[in-house]
Amino acid sequence: MNPQFLMDGLIAGAIIGLGAVGVTLTYSILRFANFAHGELLSWGAYLALGVSSALGVLGAGMTTPLGPFSFGWSLPIAALLAIALTGLLALAVDAALFSSFRRRGSAIIIMVMASFGASLALRSLLEFLFTSKPAYFSQALQIAMKLGLGLRATPDQLAMLAVALISVVTVHLVMTRTDIGRAMRAVSENPGLAGIAGIDVRRVIRTAWFLGAALACIAGIMSGLIIQIRPYLGHDLLLPLFAAAILGGIGSVPGAMIAGLLIGLAEAFTVQLIGAEWRAAVSFAILIAVLLVRPRGLFGKAA
């Protein structure tokens, strides 16, 4: 068996893990499964592409590749702006849709169905604005470097793994070492009691939306850089994202990332052992197995 599946799995798992961290944050705070979260990955990738292209027009040197990478300074700068814009988009969707349901105390199923509608609307708007034709941050070809033990990876792939690691460590530190992180954990445990204790629950909710959207944007940019950008980018990753969030344990940031890596490795192993047509079934099988055997996940707390 070719050991390259380990590297392929780690790269796919890093993307899944980052997206799953956003899912677990919003679920633990807002108490509903947001099926529009996948579209934030797509929007993040397209927003970064748009800003990067604009920067390339303004300054030709902005697109000159940085060292061994396929991208220039335009992409890192565009990524920062895209993170902010994706966060604002998530806040806008919440203000226009979900906040009114929260005020009225709507049932969870209504929130879930509303997220389905938001997902369709956001995806259709992307197709209207950018068409369904695949897009790319760069058309440059990269030669995979030998890493030893039969593993290969391009400089872009290694950079994305480093970005994923830095991102998840940063979010974990925010959740465990800052006041807003402690407030988020308090709201996830008991929103009513947290409000009585003086915590601004609405601020916590806005922070959860922004953080989740920021991580989704980073995951979308990673996927777009390594593979391609298209309106269904996030939709195709939605099942693995939820499988990783549940496997890792709702509310656990490191758990979601570790679970994402496990699912990525499982998918890569399945592709090599059986065939690519079975990739989508892996996440579903893992999701069902976790719900049957250990519903709280690997790092989740018992209710």
Side-chain angles (χ1 to χ4, degrees):
M1 178 173 289
N2 189 344
Q4 180 60 27
F5 85 90
L6 293 172
M7 180 56 63
D8 297 338
L10 286 176
I11 294 166
I15 297 172
I16 294 170
L18 272 185
V21 171
V23 169
T24 197
L25 281 178
T26 53
Y27 187 94
S28 61
I29 300 294
L30 300 169
R31 298 295 198 281
F32 80 97
N34 177 24
F35 287 95
H37 188 80
E39 311 316 318
L40 296 177
L41 276 77
S42 303
W43 272 91
Y46 273 105
L47 287 170
L49 176 66
V51 175
S52 179
S53 300
L55 291 174
V57 172
L58 295 175
M62 297 290 286
T63 58
T64 303
L66 295 170
F69 305 113
S70 67
F71 53 86
W73 279 112
S74 62
L75 182 56
I77 296 172
L80 294 176
L81 292 173
I83 287 170
L85 292 173
T86 308
L88 292 175
L89 173 64
L91 292 175
V93 171
D94 179 60
L97 186 62
F98 299 115
S99 61
S100 61
F101 291 128
R102 287 198 302 273
R103 286 195 301 269
R104 288 180 285 181
S106 299
I108 297 298
I109 187 62
I110 294 178
M111 304 278 277
V112 172
M113 295 308 296
S115 74
F116 268 115
S119 173
L120 291 172
L122 290 171
R123 195 183 318 137
S124 297
L125 183 57
L126 268 182
E127 284 197 276
F128 175 76
L129 294 174
F130 297 98
T131 75
S132 57
K133 183 179 178 180
Y136 302 88
F137 284 114
S138 172
Q139 298 284 0
L141 295 177
Q142 285 193 311
I143 303 300
M145 303 180 300
K146 292 183 179 180
L147 303 178
L149 302 177
L151 303 180
R152 292 174 177 267
T154 66
D156 283 2
Q157 291 172 334
L158 295 177
M160 293 302 101
L161 287 176
V163 168
L165 177 61
I166 293 170
S167 299
V168 74
V169 169
T170 300
V171 173
H172 178 66
L173 292 176
V174 167
M175 294 292 295
T176 57
R177 304 292 177 87
T178 65
D179 291 338
I180 187 61
R182 286 186 282 270
M184 290 174 70
R185 286 186 288 139
V187 171
S188 70
E189 292 289 339
N190 192 320
L193 187 59
I196 293 173
I199 294 175
D200 188 344
V201 177
R202 286 184 297 179
R203 177 170 173 257
V204 168
I205 290 174
R206 290 194 296 269
T207 303
W209 275 113
F210 192 92
L211 268 180
L215 293 170
C217 177
I218 296 171
I221 293 171
M222 288 172 58
S223 181
L225 180 62
I226 295 173
I227 307 173
Q228 61 180 204
I229 308 170
R230 52 196 184 85
Y232 278 80
L233 181 157
H235 176 267
D236 292 343
L237 287 171
L238 194 59
L239 181 58
L241 296 188
F242 275 92
I246 293 173
L247 176 60
I250 295 298
S252 173
V253 171
M257 192 65 195
I258 292 171
L261 294 174
L262 291 175
I263 288 175
L265 289 169
E267 287 186 349
F269 179 77
T270 301
V271 168
Q272 188 169 119
L273 188 65
I274 305 176
E277 64 272 15
W278 290 95
R279 176 191 291 271
V282 174
S283 298
F284 182 75
I286 292 175
L287 179 60
I288 296 300
V290 173
L291 290 174
L292 290 175
V293 178
R294 190 181 173 88
R296 66 176 184 268
L298 297 176
F299 300 93
K301 297 179 181 178

